[in-house]
Amino acid sequence: MSERAYIELKGICKSFGSVQANKNVDFSLKKGEIHALLGENGSGKSTLVNMLSGIYVPDSGFIFMNGKEIRFDSPNDALRAGIGMVHQHFKLVNVMTAKDNIVLGQKQGFFLKRKQLTEELNAIADRYGLSLNPDKYIDEMSVSEQQTVEIMKMLYRGADVLILDEPTAVLTPQEIEKFFTILRNMRDQGCSIVIITHKMNEVLEISDRVTILRKGESVATVNTADTNAKALTEMMVGYSMDLSIKRTETPMELKKPLLSVEHLVIQGDNGAKIIDDMSFRLFSGEVLGVAGIAASGQKELCEAIVGLYHVTGGSVKLKDEELVGMSPVEIIRKGVSMSFVPEDRLGMGLVGSLDIVDNILLKTYRNHKGITVDRKSGEVAAKAIVEKFDISTPSVHHQVKKLSGGNIQKVLLGREIDSSPQVLITAYPARGLDIGAAYNIYNVINEQREKGVGVLYIGEDLDVILELCDRIMVMSHGRIMKIVDAQSVTKEDLGLMMLGGTVDGKEAHYA
């Protein structure tokens, strides 16, 4: 790694209306290093890299490359300078092959000789230790393969600086290990890499240096070898934090079956089975984690349980009450107490154009007597939820769509828990939250467990699932691979089962 800065950002400022996203930020990137950018949600990380990649133009400040001042007015300007960004949500055309996606939008890209193009791509892959089939279609690829295509797209177009936004969010431990090997190979070949991630253990494992942002300002840049998770967290949030999840234990004799799913089958519009013969039980006072790669049926499972997705076959019971065939409203009218925090917050969880009070009342307005709704009680409940979950809002009458993503999530989870559920189904409840807010959510889930609530927790951070949950149900392609005790399984075992494999030579089984 060169000691001289390859790229420097000095005094960078950027505002959007009255919101100042970056204020006098300094950042430097050396040739042949992996540099992590760390900060809470809203700290200005995305804004900063969007300026480095040409998506935004700074209001003030300077960008230098090899000591010379440069200006990017578009992503093409940045790419011509050798800077490419791989976004968290890939920008690929599913019905096209890898090599067609790589040359898409390039002058004369489709007129290149196919054999020559394949040879060029294979040469790039060999150089950096990438594994790629140029003729494979995107919709036939795993998430990690699609990510490789995105990286190849940038390398083929001449990038020697890569910006990676949450690159491991949906990868298994095995895929992450392989991905980190690729990043180290790229670094050794002289590439410079900026990685944005919320996973502290990954920052410590893969990066050479770390820059911490807080409230739009650069707090510090440190050598990774000279720091630790506690110190980095303190710099991020501005105070000392306990990073352990204190799992409470409910004695087995106090646990009672709450939710029973038997031989559940769900089919998609094309007739393919999304959920295939799934059976499990959820007990009172336990957190049952669900681990699986993206699109393994987690979303459809949640929606089927609460009456939002058609069930093809099987049974879903809350205690002795059959839920299959009921609409969500009918489930409520039956007196079934169940709360559901969906993955799509505004799409199906909240109404963005309504304020916090009205979104709270959406859960309870049918319980009000007469033709009018008691808005006073809704306002009292909204204020209590805002205080308990530390929601940042001008007032409880503020439109939900104008809140940050993290605060939208807090409103939704707060409303669902406020209804005193017997079963809480929560999908990615800490997604989009900063580290302090995320640990607050984990504490709230623990509180629900202590009250005897059964929690079905769908998550993507396996470290959190292992710490928080009592048992873990591993899904792969709509089937349960295994249900395991969280204290007797490793992250690597979970990753292998998520990919459809077995552990220690034992066949996967249904539980």
Side-chain angles (χ1 to χ4, degrees):
M1 179 175 64
S2 170
E3 290 304 313
R4 178 186 174 187
Y6 181 45
I7 296 175
E8 278 190 282
L9 284 70
K10 291 187 175 181
I12 296 293
C13 296
K14 183 66 179 179
S15 296
F16 299 94
S18 60
V19 178
Q20 186 154 23
N22 287 140
K23 180 180 179 183
N24 296 322
V25 174
D26 294 331
F27 175 80
S28 67
L29 180 66
K30 297 176 182 178
K31 194 74 173 173
E33 81 160 336
I34 300 174
H35 196 133
L37 198 56
L38 199 58
E40 296 183 289
N41 288 91
S43 63
K45 304 185 301 296
S46 295
T47 302
L48 186 67
V49 296
N50 280 337
M51 286 185 281
L52 182 56
S53 61
I55 296 174
Y56 297 149
V57 176
D59 296 335
S60 61
F62 305 93
I63 301 176
F64 298 93
M65 198 166 187
N66 275 327
K68 295 181 180 180
E69 185 181 347
I70 55 173
R71 175 186 169 93
F72 301 139
D73 292 314
S74 71
N76 284 335
D77 288 347
L79 196 52
R80 279 191 287 269
I83 302 172
M85 184 166 180
V86 177
H87 297 270
Q88 182 177 356
H89 303 290
F90 305 144
K91 302 178 183 300
L92 300 170
V93 181
N94 285 341
V95 295
M96 295 173 64
T97 64
K99 65 184 175 187
D100 287 337
N101 270 275
I102 290 169
V103 299
L104 187 63
Q106 300 295 290
K107 290 182 179 179
Q108 299 180 336
F110 277 91
F111 298 99
L112 290 171
K113 292 181 180 179
R114 312 299 283 173
K115 183 177 179 181
Q116 177 188 341
L117 176 58
T118 298
E119 290 174 352
E120 291 177 7
L121 294 177
N122 286 338
I124 294 172
D126 290 342
R127 178 182 176 186
Y128 296 108
L130 296 163
S131 177
L132 177 72
N133 178 357
D135 296 309
K136 191 171 183 179
Y137 285 87
I138 299 300
D139 59 6
E140 298 174 351
M141 292 183 173
S142 67
V143 174
S144 61
E145 289 176 310
Q146 293 180 26
Q147 187 176 64
T148 300
V149 175
E150 286 282 18
I151 292 173
M152 283 288 292
K153 190 196 300 184
M154 295 297 109
L155 295 174
Y156 179 77
R157 298 176 187 189
D160 62 356
V161 174
L162 283 182
I163 302 168
L164 307 173
D165 185 11
E166 298 287 351
T168 66
V170 292
L171 300 183
T172 67
Q174 287 81 359
E175 290 171 328
I176 292 171
E177 184 178 345
K178 182 179 178 182
F179 178 64
F180 282 178
T181 299
I182 291 169
L183 294 189
R184 294 186 183 101
N185 288 339
M186 295 176 69
R187 176 188 61 190
D188 295 343
Q189 292 292 325
C191 284
S192 302
I193 299 165
V194 180
I195 183 169
I196 300 174
T197 179
H198 285 92
K199 299 180 181 179
M200 194 70 70
N201 58 327
E202 293 181 4
V203 170
L204 295 170
E205 180 180 349
I206 192 62
S207 68
D208 300 299
R209 290 194 299 157
V210 186
T211 291
I212 301 96
L213 299 184
R214 187 168 75 236
K215 296 181 179 178
E217 300 184 59
S218 46
V219 175
T221 296
V222 296
N223 293 321
T224 308
D226 299 330
T227 190
N228 55 53
K230 188 175 186 300
L232 290 173
T233 302
E234 190 168 337
M235 285 185 277
M236 281 174 57
V237 302
Y239 55 87
S240 181
M241 263 192 68
D242 182 2
L243 294 178
S244 62
I245 299 175
K246 297 176 176 63
R247 174 169 47 197
T248 55
E249 297 292 340
T250 302
M252 194 62 209
E253 60 269 19
L254 298 180
K255 293 181 180 180
K256 299 177 181 179
L258 281 179
L259 187 72
S260 177
V261 176
E262 298 290 341
H263 304 294
L264 185 68
V265 177
I266 300 174
Q267 289 181 319
D269 294 335
N270 61 358
K273 289 182 180 179
I274 301 173
I275 297 293
D276 186 5
D277 194 24
M278 180 175 288
S279 299
F280 68 91
R281 290 192 297 174
L282 173 66
F283 294 86
S284 62
E286 86 157 337
V287 179
L288 175 61
V290 179
I293 60 175
S296 287
Q298 302 96 316
K299 180 175 182 288
E300 291 81 4
L301 172 63
C302 292
E303 293 179 6
I305 291 173
V306 296
L308 294 172
Y309 205 101
H310 176 69
V311 172
T312 307
S315 170
V316 179
K317 291 182 179 180
L318 185 68
K319 297 183 178 177
D320 294 324
E321 187 78 26
E322 178 62 63
L323 305 184
V324 172
M326 292 186 187
S327 70
V329 173
E330 288 171 330
I331 291 173
I332 292 172
R333 286 175 178 166
K334 283 284 185 180
V336 177
S337 178
M338 180 183 293
S339 291
F340 173 45
V341 181
E343 183 179 358
D344 182 6
R345 315 301 175 206
L346 287 179
M348 61 188 296
L350 300 169
V351 179
S353 59
L354 298 182
D355 64 16
I356 297 176
V357 172
D358 285 342
N359 270 286
I360 300 301
L361 287 170
L362 284 176
K363 188 78 175 180
T364 60
Y365 75 92
R366 293 186 182 88
N367 301 332
H368 293 261
K369 296 180 180 179
I371 60 173
T372 60
V373 175
D374 181 9
R375 292 182 57 82
K376 188 69 177 177
S377 64
E379 186 170 338
V380 170
K383 287 179 178 178
I385 290 170
V386 165
E387 181 178 356
K388 180 175 181 177
F389 287 84
D390 192 25
I391 298 169
S392 179
T393 177
S395 79
V396 293
H397 299 290
H398 194 66
Q399 277 187 325
V400 164
K401 68 181 180 182
K402 294 182 180 179
L403 298 174
S404 70
N407 284 303
I408 289 173
Q409 168 65 329
K410 292 179 189 178
V411 171
L412 179 56
L413 188 62
R415 183 192 71 185
E416 298 306 304
I417 287 177
D418 188 60
S419 68
S420 301
Q422 295 181 60
V423 170
L424 176 65
I425 302 176
T426 171
Y428 314 107
R431 179 183 284 175
L433 300 187
D434 57 55
I435 193 166
Y439 275 79
N440 182 36
I441 295 298
Y442 305 146
N443 289 335
V444 168
I445 289 173
N446 259 325
E447 289 174 6
Q448 295 303 298
R449 170 166 39 199
E450 290 173 0
K451 292 178 180 179
V453 175
V455 181
L456 189 66
Y457 178 92
I458 294 89
E460 56 198 359
D461 189 327
L462 296 184
D463 290 302
V464 171
I465 287 178
L466 286 166
E467 280 194 75
L468 180 66
C469 300
D470 299 287
R471 295 183 300 147
I472 302 170
M473 181 169 75
V474 186
M475 292 179 61
S476 180
H477 300 98
R479 294 174 68 87
I480 297 176
M481 297 302 297
K482 204 171 186 180
I483 298 180
V484 296
D485 188 302
Q487 299 186 62
S488 60
V489 70
T490 67
K491 190 163 61 171
E492 289 70 28
D493 288 344
L494 293 178
L496 184 61
M497 288 186 284
M498 286 163 62
L499 292 171
T502 58
V503 178
D504 296 332
K506 298 175 183 176
E507 291 297 321
H509 69 273
Y510 302 92

